[in-house]
Amino acid sequence: RSLYTQACDGIEELDGKQGTMQALLSMAASVAGFVTPGFVAAYILLDPEDVEASKFHRELSAWALLAPLGTGLVLVGVIWNRVKPSPYEDDEDEGEVFETTG
């Protein structure tokens, strides 16, 4: 199970609302897919005249540095999630061994 579903299962007020919240999360991710090309075209790519006039003839503006910074931030978050213990895991069943005889 994902961290999202584990967190939602622990809150009684969210019973019956998990599907709606997950759908909204999915729609927000879809909106990002539609908005990103316009954002890149408007703020990250430079006009051909600006490229020719610049000293180094770069086609990307300084805003292009947001991509590797965002990727690095996500990578740090994923590593942090793997290193720290999850508050949603049940530790009470660890160490118990159940045997069946037949």
Side-chain angles (χ1 to χ4, degrees):
R1 296 180 351 179
S2 69
L3 291 174
Y4 174 79
T5 55
Q6 290 176 3
C8 287
D9 282 345
I11 302 173
E12 290 181 19
E13 291 85 12
L14 297 179
D15 286 344
K17 306 285 188 206
Q18 181 179 353
T20 303
M21 292 188 314
Q22 204 156 8
L24 288 172
L25 188 65
S26 176
M27 284 187 228
S30 295
V31 168
F34 290 119
V35 172
T36 300
F39 177 79
V40 168
Y43 298 106
I44 295 180
L45 294 176
L46 295 176
D47 292 326
E49 298 85 26
D50 294 336
V51 173
E52 290 297 324
S54 69
K55 181 178 179 181
F56 298 108
H57 302 293
R58 294 188 177 134
E59 296 180 357
L60 302 176
S61 69
W63 287 103
L65 293 174
L66 287 177
L69 291 176
T71 303
L73 185 64
V74 168
L75 184 61
V76 167
V78 167
I79 291 171
W80 176 257
N81 243 351
R82 293 292 178 186
V83 170
K84 73 174 184 72
S86 175
Y88 306 110
E89 293 179 2
D90 294 332
D91 292 323
E92 42 192 60
D93 291 337
E94 286 186 11
E96 293 184 29
V97 178
F98 297 101
E99 294 182 17
T100 58
T101 57

